[in-house]
Amino acid sequence: MSRTPVVVAMSGGVDSSVAAARLVEQGERVIGVTMKTFCYTEQAGPTRTCCGLDGILDARRVCDTLGIPHHVFDMEEAFTRDVIDDFVSEYVAGRTPNPCVRCNSNTKIPDLLRRAQRLGAERIATGHYARIEQAAGGAPVLRRGLDPAKDQTYFLWGVPQHVLPHLRLPVGDLTKPEVRARARALGLSTADKPESQEICFVPSGDYGDFLRLRLGAAHPAVSAGDLVAADGEVVGRHAGYGRYTVGQRRGLGGGRGQPLYVLSVRPDRNEVVVGREEELYRDRVVLGGMNWIGVAVTTGQQVEVQLRYRAQPTAAAVEWVEDGRVALHLTEAQRAVTPGQSGVLYSGDRVLGGGRIQ
Amino acid sequence: MAATIYLDHAATSPLRPEVRDAMLPWLHGHGNPSSVHAAGRSARVALEHAREQVAAALGAGRGEIVFTSGGTEANNLAVLGRWRRARRGAVVCSAIEHSSVLGAARAAAADGAILTLLAVDEEGSVQPEALRDALQLGPAVVSVMWGNNEVGTLQPIDALGDLCREAGVCFHADAVQAVGRVPVRVDRSACDLLTVSAHKLGGPPGAGALFVRAGTRLEPLVHGGGQEHGLRAGTENLAAAVGLARAIELAVAEQASEALRLAALRDALAELITSAAPGTRINAAGAERLPHILSLSVPDADREALLVSLDLEGVAASAGSACRSGTIEPSHVLSAMGSHDPDMAVIRLSLGLTSTEDEVREAARRFAALIPRLRAHVLEASR
């Protein structure tokens, strides 16, 4: 056996199933691993999302079909600390986090590499729709997945530099229908499994309820407060600032004869600032906590920036500002730029890096 | 990859050919033992013959054996069935019981029982003095396992049983790991209830039995047609009962010689591994132990990495108890012994009928080959 094994993160979904299958087809020695993020045994009854116990069992079944070993790595502690606690504290700070970005970039992928190396493996793989080019002697290049409808580079901008040379993304050059077709052709049980949509630790999709459970019902983030206009006039009541995100309309009731939208959240005063839709547009965005994928941009450089998962990228000029943050001057003002979400910088289909919207 | 070496017989042991042969006729279809026609009568005869075999192997009367779906059900029937009959006082068990006893005891506690866990010493042994104190609570049942499934410690069953008998308290012993490995006779011990299971001995999974000493009253957990002396309703699983009976009969007949052979293999395995991985500790080393179980704590290694690496090298082992999702949970047994050390990887290697000297040597060689890499990563992580 000349080459070291490849450890594939398998959620039990079709994408990572096919990722593992493709590596097996390429003659690699593959080890399937499901990263357990929270304890399912405490939740009696059927689970729904891809991350649940069903996911573990589905991944195990696929590995059995592929004739490869499957193991479960317990990352509950790190997941709770790095992802769930961060999710809650971001909402408390009045921002709208994207836990899947944090999980993939900071927790799952680096942790997978660390544990893979303990098993003597030097390469890891995931089922993300993204492509990575391992240049000999140079830094790896991360590109959007070939299927524009499925591209997941938005979740990967934060993968640390030291991890990228070890990362393989075997389905990045396939479309979702191609992935399903391959899974069916191989007889994988996950071929027609529906997509997971919600955040895995909030399967109900009710974030407000989740925050109330974690923080207690008395916490201001989930307690009633004032809806205010930009000029400070109180125009109504809200059900806890943690339940609102910039651009949101639903749940605000009427107001001044026209629809109201959330413009910002003021956690220190438990106020939600509302206004007209036109007021939601911004032409300057500041990003912090930057991570670069093998390059560094310079002030004045033209890039494209994507401000939400599935949003269209928009042209912007880069300006370095204090504390290692980056300001982006947007060619066209964007609606509902939301603090806590990711801003990911691209040049064509190449990912340059990203940061959190401030 | 080289052939897999199976060192997880305490989890389940391969079906013995003799057991399979005994079961086969009853898998082809037969009458219901409760039916009065000829097919039913022959099934009844086979079932009662199986019961006599189990009774004889344990030194019990044939009316004292209740067939169950396995060790877990038998343990539940013993603990919960006894509690529901008494409905007062305490349920007492050791802190290192199998999850089926602990789970049943917790269910009894939810139903009003005072749950008392007996502490164990650093060798995993229950001190009779601790039981003497607990008996003051007037327990409905005391449950202590004959031999521990994780570290192998044999309990002072005679002393504990005698204390219970003097106090007039019902005593249950979970002998799932012990039967066939050490002498287990209910006619020479003071236990009123005793659990056995087939698949640890080369019998089929899903087959077990509870010895219920004549005069011991239990409340059934499964209600219906009154089978198994009214203690376990439902049409009997005849093939499973026949398999259990044959497996126990063989294991008890071979017990003395097999115990010597397994203990020698176990000690050789321990010697090879501890010399290859200095600092490795044999858990419960100072206790009288089951001959087929070896629990090791390996320093400067990660338990997940050790267990997974062994699997990748074709050595089937176990680390404490696995949860439903397949992650490796910290051992409640080692915690109770005060031996839990987060910097050491705990591994259980368990031997059985098919284990050989060559396998033990090869397993130790594969084990030793992993140690440098595991240590390097742990030391790197701690820097």
Side-chain angles (χ1 to χ4, degrees):
Chain A
M1 232 167 301
S2 55
R3 302 196 77 185
T4 58
V6 188
V7 174
V8 186
M10 298 179 70
S11 63
V14 65
D15 304 327
S16 50
S17 298
V18 172
R22 289 197 98 186
L23 291 166
V24 170
E25 284 167 359
Q26 289 161 20
E28 298 285 359
R29 188 177 159 212
V30 181
I31 302 167
V33 158
T34 303
M35 308 193 79
K36 192 188 103 163
T37 50
F38 48 91
C39 194
Y40 313 103
T41 50
E42 289 162 13
Q43 305 175 339
T47 54
R48 284 207 341 235
T49 69
C50 188
C51 295
L53 179 65
D54 284 350
I56 293 174
L57 299 177
D58 287 345
R60 186 151 285 187
R61 194 161 153 195
V62 166
C63 288
D64 188 61
T65 305
L66 295 174
I68 61 173
H70 175 260
H71 289 281
V72 181
F73 285 173
D74 186 355
M75 54 176 290
E76 190 177 342
E77 201 185 312
F79 185 81
T80 303
R81 186 182 61 234
D82 297 346
V83 182
I84 299 182
D85 291 352
D86 176 78
F87 176 84
V88 173
S89 64
E90 283 288 285
Y91 268 114
V92 167
R95 295 186 284 263
T96 304
N98 194 320
C100 302
V101 170
R102 184 149 181 108
C103 178
N104 281 303
S105 296
N106 299 47
T107 308
K108 259 190 179 173
I109 293 176
D111 202 37
L112 183 67
L113 176 62
R114 197 169 50 79
R115 298 194 195 204
Q117 287 175 328
R118 284 188 199 153
L119 304 180
E122 284 301 329
R123 290 167 298 155
I124 58 172
T126 71
H128 285 105
Y129 286 89
R131 290 170 295 157
I132 191 161
E133 291 162 14
Q134 300 289 354
V141 174
L142 182 65
R143 295 189 191 279
R144 287 192 189 270
L146 271 191
D147 184 343
K150 294 305 303 177
D151 169 57
Q152 289 173 319
T153 46
Y154 187 80
F155 298 119
L156 299 176
W157 64 264
V159 176
Q161 199 69 43
H162 77 274
V163 174
L164 290 168
H166 302 271
L167 180 63
R168 302 291 180 273
L169 301 167
V171 301
D173 60 342
L174 299 178
T175 64
K176 185 83 184 195
E178 285 171 342
V179 165
R180 288 209 188 274
R182 279 171 187 258
R184 274 191 290 268
L186 289 165
L188 303 185
S189 52
T190 51
D192 296 301
K193 197 170 160 178
E195 308 252 336
S196 57
Q197 298 291 352
E198 301 296 346
I199 292 170
C200 64
F201 55 89
V202 194
S204 69
D206 187 341
Y207 308 142
D209 208 41
F210 182 79
L211 291 174
R212 196 170 48 76
L213 281 173
R214 296 284 297 199
L215 295 167
H219 194 281
V222 289
S223 305
D226 287 334
L227 280 182
V228 300
D231 59 12
E233 186 196 341
V234 176
V235 298
R237 297 285 286 168
H238 67 74
Y241 71 85
R243 299 173 189 272
Y244 299 86
T245 185
V246 173
Q248 180 178 340
R249 178 181 167 191
R250 214 176 50 185
L252 294 181
R256 302 180 174 179
Q258 55 188 326
L260 289 177
Y261 294 85
V262 175
L263 298 182
S264 65
V265 170
R266 291 176 179 158
D268 48 333
R269 304 167 67 170
N270 192 9
E271 286 179 352
V272 173
V273 184
V274 295
R276 289 170 289 115
E277 186 168 24
E278 310 82 277
E279 297 175 71
L280 279 172
Y281 285 81
R282 297 277 179 281
D283 61 4
R284 184 173 183 271
V285 180
V286 176
L287 305 180
M290 306 302 298
N291 185 57
W292 302 107
I293 309 286
V295 290
V297 298
T298 49
T299 293
Q301 187 172 337
Q302 289 292 319
V303 298
E304 292 104 52
V305 61
Q306 187 176 329
L307 297 168
R308 275 177 194 256
Y309 180 51
R310 295 187 184 285
Q312 284 299 313
T314 186
V318 171
E319 179 200 354
W320 281 88
V321 292
E322 72 285 3
D323 303 332
R325 292 180 303 157
V326 163
L328 296 164
H329 300 275
L330 309 176
T331 308
E332 273 179 56
Q334 297 295 304
R335 184 187 181 281
V337 173
T338 307
Q341 292 287 294
S342 291
V344 186
L345 308 189
Y346 294 87
S347 172
D349 65 0
R350 178 176 181 179
V351 182
L352 304 175
R356 276 194 188 194
I357 299 172
Q358 305 283 290
Chain B
M1 187 165 51
T4 295
I5 300 171
Y6 188 77
L7 294 181
D8 204 14
H9 289 269
T12 194
S13 199
L15 190 69
R16 293 182 68 159
E18 308 94 313
V19 173
R20 189 197 53 207
D21 291 347
M23 291 173 69
L24 269 177
W26 304 105
L27 288 169
H28 289 301
H30 53 79
N32 185 323
S34 298
S35 298
V36 295
H37 47 62
R41 289 195 304 274
S42 71
R44 169 60 61 189
V45 168
L47 183 71
E48 296 312 317
H49 177 64
R51 201 183 307 279
E52 281 167 17
Q53 284 175 289
V54 174
L58 298 174
R62 67 177 182 183
E64 296 177 315
I65 300 298
V66 176
F67 287 119
T68 68
S69 67
T72 288
E73 188 193 329
N75 281 342
N76 271 269
L77 178 57
V79 174
L80 260 187
R82 188 62 210 141
W83 161 254
R84 289 185 183 169
R85 187 76 189 188
R87 286 228 185 262
R88 60 187 166 76
V91 167
V92 176
C93 58
S94 87
I96 61 166
E97 292 304 303
H98 185 261
S99 56
S100 55
V101 166
L102 291 173
R106 279 192 287 266
D111 190 36
I114 301 162
L115 174 57
T116 304
L117 293 182
L118 300 174
V120 296
D121 65 15
E122 67 277 12
E123 303 293 352
S125 193
V126 174
Q127 298 305 304
E129 298 74 55
L131 176 59
R132 196 172 284 127
D133 293 343
L135 287 171
Q136 309 292 324
L137 296 166
V141 61
V142 171
S143 178
V144 177
M145 71 205 318
W146 200 295
N148 181 264
N149 55 313
E150 287 188 29
V151 298
T153 302
L154 288 164
Q155 299 299 341
I157 287 293
D158 289 343
L160 301 176
D162 288 345
L163 281 175
C164 288
R165 186 161 281 182
E166 283 165 26
V169 168
C170 177
F171 181 57
H172 167 243
D174 170 1
V176 165
Q177 295 290 350
V179 73
R181 314 294 191 189
V182 293
V184 173
R185 295 282 299 191
V186 295
D187 52 353
R188 289 176 211 148
S189 81
C191 57
D192 303 300
L193 302 166
L194 181 121
T195 295
V196 296
S197 165
H199 74 116
K200 314 289 189 189
L201 301 169
L210 184 67
F211 157 75
V212 183
R213 191 176 296 283
T216 303
R217 298 301 221 195
L218 298 178
E219 199 65 25
L221 306 183
V222 181
H223 300 272
Q227 288 91 343
E228 299 300 303
H229 320 302
L231 285 175
R232 209 277 180 175
T235 300
E236 300 87 344
N237 187 348
L238 182 52
V242 168
L244 168 71
R246 186 75 180 120
I248 288 196
E249 185 180 65
L250 287 165
V252 167
E254 298 161 355
Q255 184 270 322
S257 60
E258 189 63 2
L260 287 174
R261 189 183 79 88
L262 292 177
L265 287 179
R266 177 198 64 191
D267 294 342
L269 185 60
E271 171 63 30
L272 287 167
I273 292 174
T274 48
S275 59
T280 295
R281 189 178 72 205
I282 300 169
N283 293 309
E288 290 272 330
R289 280 180 295 150
L290 290 166
H292 66 302
I293 290 177
L294 177 63
S295 170
L296 299 171
S297 289
V298 184
D300 303 325
D302 175 83
R303 62 200 162 114
E304 179 184 88
L306 175 58
L307 189 64
V308 173
S309 296
L310 281 172
D311 175 58
L312 297 175
E313 294 302 320
V315 178
S318 140
S321 45
C323 118
R324 201 159 62 114
S325 62
T327 58
I328 303 150
E329 305 289 312
S331 161
H332 72 283
V333 175
L334 288 171
S335 298
M337 290 162 60
S339 299
H340 174 68
D341 180 343
D343 296 328
M344 293 180 104
V346 177
I347 193 102
R348 181 188 72 185
L349 303 163
S350 53
L351 303 153
L353 195 67
T354 55
S355 301
T356 65
E357 225 179 297
D358 285 349
E359 279 191 335
V360 162
R361 260 199 307 273
E362 175 61 15
R365 191 193 64 74
R366 294 183 196 177
F367 196 117
L370 294 172
I371 294 298
R373 189 184 74 218
L374 293 171
R375 289 201 166 162
H377 281 286
V378 166
L379 295 175
E380 188 186 314
S382 64
R383 263 209 301 272

